[in-house]
């Protein structure tokens, strides 16, 4: 037995899902343009995005989906992934990490939760974790000090790329990033 149209509409995804994820409305866009002192979004793009990197045609986007449809489509896409061997961090080898270390160091939300409203969530926690790691290594080894890198991954990658470029032959200045 088919549900009446009025009842079936109740089962449709809530309309606010699309608006929460699609972007600003006309009034918000007008206020933004007024604040920036430009007449239109096209003028804003013209002033900020170099012509050489613009697509030159409208994007071919599908119609917006409801929350359930979007999640189902994302699950379907994720299901097509192939799990391959990762060569990142090949210096790490499987080992047993005691549960007390996992919970109190690696999984401790104090390392990645902000405790002031203006602080980046993870920066302070990473620094404190590095300090604790250095202290632990010094205590375990009896050495007067120990080192741990204060560079984050992005900085380390940038330095590695700079080093590679410095020693590369002329004309070899492109990078492939997986």
């Amino acid at each position: 037995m088919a549900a009446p149209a009025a009842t079936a509409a109740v089962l449709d995804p809530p309309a606010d899902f699309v608006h929460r994820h699609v972007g600003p409305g006309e009034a918000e866009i007008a206020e933004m343009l007024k604040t920036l002192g430009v007449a239109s979004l096209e003028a804003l793009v013209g002033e900020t995005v170099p012509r050489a990197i613009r697509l030159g045609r409208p994007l071919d986007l599908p119609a917006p989906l409801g929350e359930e449809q979007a999640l189902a489509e994302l699950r379907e896409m994720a299901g097509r992934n192939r799990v391959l061997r990762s060569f990142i961090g090949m210096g790490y080898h499987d080992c047993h990490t005691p549960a007390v270390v996992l919970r109190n160091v690696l999984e401790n939300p104090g390392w990645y939760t902000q405790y002031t409203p203006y602080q980046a969530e993870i920066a302070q926690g990473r620094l404190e974790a590095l300090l604790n790691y250095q202290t632990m290594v010094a205590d375990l080894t009896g050495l007067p000090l120990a080192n741990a890198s204060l560079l984050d991954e992005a900085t380390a990658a940038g330095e590695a790329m700079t080093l590679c470029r410095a020693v590369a032959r002329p004309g070899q200045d492109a990078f492939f990033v997986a």
Side-chain angles (χ1 to χ4, degrees):
M1 176 165 115
T7 306
V10 172
L11 301 176
D12 287 340
D16 66 334
F17 174 78
V18 172
H19 299 295
R20 285 194 328 250
H21 300 281
V22 171
E26 292 300 321
E28 294 164 314
I29 292 172
E31 182 180 344
M32 176 185 70
L33 294 174
K34 180 181 175 188
T35 301
L36 295 173
V38 292
S40 66
L41 289 174
E42 291 75 21
L44 176 62
V45 170
E47 291 181 21
T48 57
V49 180
R51 185 169 298 285
I53 66 169
R54 291 189 216 154
L55 186 58
R57 63 175 168 76
L59 293 174
D60 182 21
L61 298 174
L65 300 174
E67 188 167 5
E68 289 300 316
Q69 291 90 352
L71 290 172
E73 189 169 314
L74 289 170
R75 280 189 200 98
E76 189 274 326
M77 282 184 206
R80 294 189 308 231
N81 286 338
R82 293 184 310 151
V83 178
L84 302 173
R85 182 172 185 159
S86 172
F87 292 98
I88 297 174
M90 291 307 291
Y92 171 83
H93 301 283
D94 287 339
C95 63
H96 172 72
T97 305
V100 67
V101 172
L102 283 175
R103 181 66 199 128
N104 293 307
V105 177
L106 301 178
E107 298 172 354
N108 184 344
W111 305 136
Y112 55 83
T113 304
Q114 68 183 24
Y115 52 86
T116 56
Y118 53 84
Q119 183 179 32
E121 284 82 1
I122 203 162
Q124 183 66 33
R126 286 182 67 150
L127 292 174
E128 190 171 347
L130 285 170
L131 174 65
N132 288 342
Y133 173 80
Q134 289 172 293
T135 304
M136 178 191 69
V137 169
D139 288 348
L140 290 174
T141 61
L143 295 171
L145 56 98
N147 185 35
S149 175
L150 295 178
L151 298 176
D152 60 17
E153 290 83 3
T155 305
E159 288 190 353
M161 293 171 71
T162 301
L163 174 66
C164 290
R165 183 158 188 205
V167 299
R169 288 180 290 220
Q172 292 184 325
D173 56 357
F175 287 93
F176 172 74
V177 180

